[in-house]
Amino acid sequence: MSVETGVERHLFNPGHTACAGCGQSMAARLVIEAAGSNTIIANNTGCLEVFTTRYPETAWGVPWIHSLFENCAAVASGIEAALKYLGKKEGTNIIAQAGDGGTADIGLQALSGMLERGHDILYVCYDNEAYMNTGIQRSGLTPFGSNTTTSPSAESAFGNPRPKKPMPEIANAHGIPYVATSTSAFPQDIQRKVKKALSIKGPKYIQIHVPCPLGWRHSPSLTIPVAKLAVDTGLYPVIEYENGKLAAVRKIAPLPVEEYLKVQGRFKHILNNPEEIKKVQAIADNNIEKYGLKQ
Amino acid sequence: MKQFLEGSQAVAHCIKAVKPGVISAYPITPQTHIVEELAQMVANGELDSQFINVESEHSAASVVLGGSATGVRVFTATSSQGLLLMAEVIFNIAGMRLPVVLTCANRAISAPINIWNDQQDSISLRDAGWIQFYAESNQDVVDLHLMAYRIAEDNDVMLPVMVCMDGFALTHAVEVVDIPAAEQVKKFLPDYKAPYKLDIDNPITLGFLADPGCYMECRYAVQKTLRETLDLIPKVQAEFNAVFGRSAGGLVEEYMVKDAENVIVAMGSVCGTIKDVVDELRSKGKKVGLLKVITYRPFPEQAIYEALKNTGRVAVLDKSISLGAYGPLYTDLKGAFFARKKAPKAISGFVAGLGGRDITRETIKDIFKKLSGKQVNAEFMDLKPELLEEKA
């Protein structure tokens, strides 16, 4: 507690400019509070950077650096190398973090390099499923059918024509010790996985599903329920890989995908189209089968 | 100690004495020998440094950015497409006020692909906020690297420095070079103590969002500092002289300019050839000279004005071109004489040596000859007309 202001100090402080109901801001706070004050963060360009560091304010209570859109994995690699050189690596966590565009698209090469080189860094991808900061454009992690400004639904298109890029599998294919997905729906799950990841030496990848009320077009009050529905329909499997093997999954009693789609404006256009819904259901079914999600 | 070394090896030996804690690079000709040599030194245990092999130049620049932001002295080297791939990070490093030192083994830019020397790569990044030095010889290369760290890490500067050495002409040329001992280097270049850094005991936010209310001031601050280094560089040059017993660096070097009627202005290894031609023409009674520009950014406008204000005719030789306009050094030099009391009667611009085409003594003599003719602003030297004709 700060005597002068009466405001409690956090490692990720309130007062930033995120939208109401922002799943990413919740997840980012959970991540850094779990990691602790002995953490250095390298952040890609994106919503999180923009809404937390507008000069002369900063939301961050830990050393934090932003360089560019695609290079947090490489900047973090440099931080790790420098700490090793200084003999200060032990006892210091390094987190590289970015949104889905910064991770699955423009930053994929730098991320792959970081994973392949074996740096002792936790990479966190905040997956809100589009380039939200620049006006809701499609990214490689935008789900099938989603209506974005660059994958619009119109007379000859049903929104985004491709499924999500399999980022957790891509990360896992690098032979790294820990890969997990999590979601704003389960705060304790995020914190448990961050702590677990940081207890393991080497590169780690956690992808967190973070609802974006603006881009997904749901009420800010529904952030947590929407995130839960993504899990419960099988569209966002919550899983853990350890040393390349699927080690744990969050079991579900699968709900039909409509339950998830109907609470979001971005899928409104396919709700009256059974053929398109069938395709989304097939993606969920495939996840349920592939990861053994059924209770 | 005087050693018979390839230019690239000379850089590596110098960097070893400088002791960077983080080195990162990606292979590209003609830069590779520099980092191969450093990798070997690290592998041998002769150099205590983290050597990070990355997947691209973009990441090499990002790794040294991260290392520098953590308060550690860093080094990287590249060329040509590699430098262009780094370009975004290059601007970022300067804006973040990180004292990174980079060797650019100058090489032509694609297309067409060409591995040989000109200066289009580094010149294309002249606006990035880096200090840029151009070396004439491999001794220059070594000395300029020492100057580079000393100036970059000065707490009143905190800006990156690019040391430009002509690819092959210098990187692969074997010469006698005096590599100063580590103790001597330490006298000139103290251990790096970062005035700000990523440190869990004193958390700071680096790389913030600047809105229109403060962005311009950040850019102005870089501009102001760069202009101020025009005063600092000659002072550091004098310090260097005191420690190592030879002059190195500086803004410009005048070679028989004082009484010259015709002067060529150039940068890099071609200055050696020009000096030879100046000697030959002087022996025949011709009043010619060379003005070697060592510091290209910040642009030493006043030093150039003072050196050339009484000269009759000036030829600027660029090994690069701002396509659709003129040679960049030519444009800058014209600017230095704009609205001044004194100025040369004529300033002509020549482009030569692109993609490794030899700039011979004949080329230089030809440029001196052309100075008595019509003023030109971007004349390409030694073009082959037969290659420009369309064949039926």
Side-chain angles (χ1 to χ4, degrees):
Chain A
M1 193 81 98
S2 156
V3 176
E4 310 90 73
T5 60
V7 176
E8 195 182 345
R9 302 289 300 168
H10 296 281
L11 300 178
F12 180 85
N13 288 289
H16 54 70
T17 58
C19 306
C22 171
Q24 187 181 28
S25 66
M26 295 176 199
R29 178 167 163 191
L30 291 162
V31 167
I32 189 57
E33 299 282 357
S37 60
N38 56 328
T39 304
I40 299 176
I41 292 181
N43 207 126
N44 269 6
T45 309
C47 287
L48 184 56
E49 165 262 328
V50 169
F51 74 67
T52 59
T53 70
R54 184 170 165 178
Y55 182 84
E57 311 292 340
T58 179
W60 298 98
V62 294
W64 183 99
I65 184 169
H66 155 253
S67 165
L68 294 160
F69 194 7
E70 65 277 52
N71 67 350
C72 74
V75 171
S77 301
I79 294 167
E80 192 231 29
L83 290 178
K84 272 187 177 169
Y85 174 75
L86 296 169
K88 287 184 175 172
K89 176 62 196 74
E90 293 312 311
T92 308
N93 303 315
I94 304 170
I95 294 178
Q97 59 184 23
D100 47 290
T103 299
D105 296 337
I106 198 167
L108 182 59
Q109 178 180 311
L111 169 59
S112 175
M114 181 204 107
L115 299 179
E116 163 254 317
R117 288 190 300 271
H119 293 281
D120 187 23
I121 296 169
L122 167 61
Y123 189 101
V124 179
C125 168
Y126 297 100
D127 180 12
N128 62 19
E129 306 198 314
Y131 289 88
M132 295 308 184
N133 189 49
T134 45
I136 318 165
Q137 295 92 4
R138 178 203 180 272
S139 83
L141 288 180
T142 298
F144 173 81
S146 182
N147 179 4
T148 75
T149 54
T150 54
S151 62
S153 90
E155 219 165 83
S156 52
F158 277 105
N160 181 39
R162 297 291 305 152
K164 287 168 77 75
K165 194 184 277 196
M167 268 314 297
E169 280 74 20
I170 291 170
N172 192 43
H174 287 76
I176 61 173
Y178 187 72
V179 173
T181 62
S182 191
T183 159
S184 299
F186 306 119
Q188 282 120 326
D189 186 72
I190 293 177
Q191 296 210 311
R192 179 181 69 79
K193 284 172 177 169
V194 167
K195 283 183 178 152
K196 183 170 175 179
L198 290 172
S199 74
I200 302 168
K201 233 183 158 56
K204 287 84 59 173
Y205 177 85
I206 298 180
Q207 184 170 311
I208 307 176
H209 202 216
V210 291
C212 170
L214 187 75
W216 295 12
R217 278 167 281 149
H218 60 74
S219 156
S221 65
L222 291 181
T223 294
I224 302 294
V226 168
K228 273 192 173 141
L229 282 168
V231 177
D232 289 339
T233 51
L235 284 170
Y236 211 93
V238 176
I239 56 170
E240 274 177 295
Y241 287 104
E242 285 179 42
N243 299 311
K245 298 252 163 21
L246 191 63
V249 301
R250 185 178 185 92
K251 298 282 185 180
I252 57 169
L255 297 172
V257 293
E258 285 99 322
E259 297 298 311
Y260 177 60
L261 304 179
K262 71 184 183 192
V263 292
Q264 302 171 66
R266 62 177 174 158
F267 295 115
K268 198 174 164 194
H269 59 291
I270 59 173
L271 284 177
N272 298 322
N273 192 308
E275 282 310 305
E276 293 302 306
I277 290 181
K278 233 189 251 176
K279 290 179 194 167
V280 179
Q281 188 62 55
I283 291 170
D285 291 347
N286 183 53
N287 284 339
I288 292 164
E289 167 77 22
K290 184 176 168 188
Y291 299 109
L293 300 178
K294 218 174 217 166
Q295 272 173 353
Chain B
M1 194 175 70
K2 285 196 175 163
Q3 297 178 63
F4 194 55
L5 292 172
E6 191 195 65
S8 299
Q9 282 178 309
V11 175
H13 278 78
C14 172
I15 296 304
K16 183 185 165 189
V18 162
K19 296 183 183 159
V22 176
I23 301 169
S24 185
Y26 190 76
I28 184 167
T29 300
Q31 160 272 144
T32 36
H33 289 187
I34 299 171
V35 288
E36 283 170 0
E37 192 79 14
L38 286 165
Q40 192 64 51
M41 289 168 174
V42 173
N44 291 349
E46 299 163 35
L47 172 58
D48 172 25
S49 193
Q50 295 287 317
F51 189 99
I52 311 295
N53 279 305
V54 283
E55 82 298 335
S56 73
E57 284 89 352
H58 195 285
S59 282
S62 303
V63 164
V64 295
L65 182 155
S68 185
T70 314
V72 168
R73 182 174 288 161
V74 299
F75 176 74
T76 187
T78 192
S79 298
S80 184
Q81 307 308 124
L83 185 66
L84 294 198
L85 184 54
M86 281 183 183
E88 195 196 14
V89 193
I90 292 291
F91 275 80
N92 208 242
I93 287 169
M96 293 181 77
R97 310 297 296 252
L98 298 171
V100 171
V101 171
L102 177 151
T103 310
C104 178
N106 287 107
R107 165 184 154 181
I109 293 294
S110 294
I113 188 167
N114 171 298
I115 63 164
W116 293 273
N117 164 249
D118 64 34
Q119 294 167 345
Q120 190 71 54
D121 48 4
S122 53
I123 288 283
S124 298
L125 291 183
R126 66 186 175 167
D127 303 333
W130 286 54
I131 293 164
Q132 284 197 345
F133 293 139
Y134 286 78
E136 178 190 338
S137 66
N138 284 339
Q139 189 65 60
D140 261 5
V141 169
V142 167
D143 297 346
L144 287 173
H145 277 91
L146 298 175
M147 300 281 288
Y149 279 101
R150 171 70 181 71
I151 291 162
E153 293 170 0
D154 187 304
N155 282 1
D156 290 333
V157 179
M158 295 301 287
L159 282 171
V161 182
M162 193 179 295
V163 179
C164 303
M165 66 189 293
D166 287 326
F168 296 110
L170 293 180
T171 55
H172 289 58
V174 179
E175 291 177 351
V176 174
V177 181
D178 187 1
I179 306 284
E183 313 82 70
Q184 213 179 357
V185 168
K186 203 167 175 178
K187 234 191 273 175
F188 176 69
L189 180 69
D191 290 341
Y192 175 47
K193 287 207 174 57
Y196 39 81
K197 63 181 175 185
L198 297 168
D199 176 7
I200 54 172
D201 296 326
N202 180 29
I204 56 167
T205 293
L206 292 175
F208 53 82
L209 170 75
D211 67 15
C214 62
Y215 176 85
M216 243 174 95
E217 284 69 19
C218 298
R219 306 307 290 170
Y220 174 76
V222 175
Q223 164 75 354
K224 182 168 178 286
T225 302
L226 279 171
R227 304 298 289 182
E228 284 165 2
T229 57
L230 289 170
D231 294 326
L232 178 71
I233 290 166
K235 282 182 201 153
V236 178
Q237 182 186 13
E239 274 176 45
F240 185 97
N241 207 336
V243 174
F244 299 102
R246 63 173 174 269
S247 183
L251 303 176
V252 298
E253 179 192 327
E254 295 179 34
Y255 190 78
M256 308 212 182
V257 168
K258 285 279 171 288
D259 65 335
E261 285 158 7
N262 292 338
V263 170
I264 293 181
V265 182
M267 303 195 294
S269 60
V270 71
C271 292
T273 313
I274 300 171
K275 283 176 181 173
D276 281 352
V277 173
V278 166
D279 289 348
E280 185 189 329
L281 296 179
R282 282 271 172 178
S283 73
K284 292 174 183 160
K286 302 244 167 73
K287 288 191 171 175
V288 295
L290 160 75
L291 184 72
K292 175 171 98 175
V293 176
I294 302 165
T295 303
Y296 176 58
R297 282 292 179 274
F299 191 65
E301 181 183 84
Q302 191 58 27
I304 288 173
Y305 174 75
E306 293 300 333
L308 298 180
K309 64 184 181 188
N310 297 318
T311 302
R313 291 186 160 82
V314 168
V316 183
L317 193 168
D318 274 284
K319 283 174 81 172
S320 64
I321 175 137
S322 173
L323 289 169
Y326 318 102
L329 181 58
Y330 166 79
T331 312
D332 285 344
L333 197 117
K334 290 275 278 189
F337 287 98
F338 176 73
R340 294 284 199 140
K341 274 200 188 112
K342 292 178 174 179
K345 273 193 284 223
I347 301 174
S348 281
F350 298 90
V351 175
L354 299 190
R357 172 110 8 125
D358 268 351
I359 302 177
T360 64
R361 296 163 67 101
E362 289 314 308
T363 312
I364 304 297
K365 283 182 200 166
D366 209 11
I367 289 173
F368 274 125
K369 257 184 237 153
K370 281 173 185 281
L371 275 186
S372 50
K374 205 172 104 226
Q375 220 178 145
V376 293
N377 56 31
E379 182 166 332
F380 277 56
M381 298 300 294
D382 304 321
L383 280 178
K384 295 178 182 171
E386 68 275 17
L387 291 182
L388 294 168
E389 279 166 23
E390 206 175 324
K391 300 252 160 58

